[in-house]
Amino acid sequence: MDSLASLFSNPIKPIQAQEVKTRSLNAAATEEHSCEFGSGKYYALCAVGGALSCGITHTAVTPLDLVKCRLQVNKEKYKNLGNGFKLTVAEQGAKGLMLGWAPTSIGYTAQGICKFGFYEVFKNFYGGLMGEENAFLYRTSLYLIASASAEFFADIALSPMEACKVRMQTAALGAFPTTLREAAPKIYAAEGITGFYKSLVPLWGRQIPYTMMKFACFERTVEAIYANIVPKPRAECSKSEQLVVTFAAGYIAGVFCAVVSHPADTIVSYMNKASGAGIGDAAKALGFKGMWGGLGPRIIMIGTLTALQWFIY
């Protein structure tokens, strides 16, 4: 178990980590939080870290997410990022920018628990099947398959709150409730439980490539920065220096995440706004160009989000 712990970037320092320093990519471990790699406590701490990193950051950027969603589904009214903010404040006041914060907070906290917790579970599981040497040699493939497996379950947890959030943020003023306690029952009354999961498939299409890029790109970027940019060995870097590397690698990964997942993100927004619309209907209505609407704001949002999530984690 400890041999596998030495191969990957883990937030919790394994008990015998001093024996395997050469391959450790741990960005911010401390002795007082040490626990055995692969133990129940280890996975629980990973899940808590994921809950905090995803829940806090997504809630913090609710205003940007709201305008991004409106740019995606109503490009005739919302021309650009600045115009979107201006119109939202003019119509709903400054508090209108936080519309959808509750489902965002709940949904992405649940997603973070599954995303980061299951990622470590699957990485350890698949790494054990591959064997130590192959796990290291083919670690990029391991990062990709472990993150994809984790995100499959994370999106099931996220989908109900994502449906509420997008509907609240993109519906015409006065046409849909603006609070979660009213929005969720309205969706259930109109569409049943399927109303919360009708966009699950495109959500997988958005989030699984996003998460694969998020973990694999981050882990390899960290390696590249320490190997080619940082002028001293990682073991000699202070915690603050390591966190700077973590933030930089997270932002780089976030930019790639935004690009690969954006068309599916636009389809998710459209489907949750248009009752009864399927994936094909959404793609046809949007067109190829329309599926890239709001990419600029999303790059800013996802780059910042991903960097902060890894920093917190």
Side-chain angles (χ1 to χ4, degrees):
M1 188 71 75
D2 288 326
S3 62
L4 281 177
S6 68
L7 303 182
F8 310 118
S9 173
N10 296 308
I12 311 300
K13 190 174 182 180
I15 290 175
Q16 297 179 3
Q18 68 273 13
E19 299 175 6
V20 289
K21 290 180 180 178
T22 56
R23 289 183 176 178
S24 175
L25 298 176
N26 181 6
T30 56
E31 287 291 346
E32 62 268 21
H33 294 113
S34 295
C35 66
E36 183 183 358
F37 176 76
S39 66
K41 180 180 179 182
Y42 173 80
Y43 293 131
L45 288 171
C46 290
V48 170
L52 294 174
S53 65
C54 291
I56 292 172
T57 53
H58 276 276
T59 304
V61 298
T62 296
L64 186 58
D65 183 45
L66 179 144
V67 174
K68 180 269 298 180
C69 288
R70 290 179 172 178
L71 283 170
Q72 290 175 325
V73 303
N74 194 350
K75 53 184 178 292
E76 292 79 16
K77 179 178 180 180
Y78 301 96
K79 306 300 182 183
N80 53 54
L81 185 61
N83 174 256
F85 276 107
K86 183 178 179 180
L87 283 177
T88 299
V89 172
E91 293 176 345
Q92 299 173 274
K95 68 178 182 180
L97 293 172
M98 289 304 294
L99 180 64
W101 73 267
T104 296
S105 180
I106 296 169
Y108 283 95
T109 295
Q111 186 212 38
I113 291 172
C114 298
K115 183 197 295 278
F116 284 88
F118 285 152
Y119 173 66
E120 295 296 339
V121 171
F122 284 117
K123 189 168 67 173
N124 188 25
F125 175 71
Y126 294 140
L129 293 178
M130 295 169 68
E132 179 183 349
E133 190 63 27
N134 285 332
F136 180 74
L137 291 175
Y138 304 105
R139 59 194 180 280
T140 300
S141 297
L142 178 58
Y143 299 151
L144 290 170
I145 190 172
S147 57
S149 299
E151 190 60 38
F152 177 86
F153 294 100
D155 290 342
I156 295 174
L158 169 64
S159 187
M161 291 297 102
E162 182 75 358
C164 293
K165 176 191 79 72
V166 174
R167 192 77 63 88
M168 290 165 62
Q169 292 178 334
T170 60
L173 294 180
F176 194 78
T178 57
T179 62
L180 177 59
R181 64 178 178 272
E182 295 175 336
K186 186 173 180 66
I187 292 174
Y188 183 77
E191 303 177 53
I193 195 68
T194 59
F196 297 108
Y197 290 98
K198 70 176 184 178
S199 61
L200 179 58
V201 172
L203 190 61
W204 278 329
R206 179 188 83 183
Q207 289 296 130
I208 290 178
Y210 164 90
T211 300
M212 292 170 72
M213 187 65 69
K214 175 178 183 174
F215 283 94
C217 184
F218 171 78
E219 304 245 32
R220 295 313 297 262
T221 301
V222 167
E223 291 183 35
I225 290 175
Y226 281 119
N228 302 297
I229 299 176
V230 178
K232 56 185 176 181
R234 180 198 169 282
E236 297 177 11
C237 294
S238 66
K239 181 183 293 186
S240 60
E241 290 171 332
Q242 293 173 15
L243 288 174
V244 169
V245 172
T246 297
F247 187 87
Y251 207 99
I252 292 169
V255 172
F256 286 100
C257 288
V259 174
V260 301
S261 62
H262 192 73
D265 180 65
T266 306
I267 289 174
V268 169
S269 296
Y270 186 91
M271 288 180 64
N272 279 311
K273 179 195 176 188
S275 180
I279 297 175
D281 299 323
K284 183 177 180 180
L286 290 165
F288 180 79
K289 184 178 179 180
M291 285 190 283
W292 293 97
L295 178 60
R298 191 160 184 266
I299 286 177
I300 298 171
M301 183 183 81
I302 297 300
T304 305
L305 272 176
T306 306
L308 289 174
Q309 284 173 2
W310 281 115
F311 188 87
I312 294 170
Y313 187 63

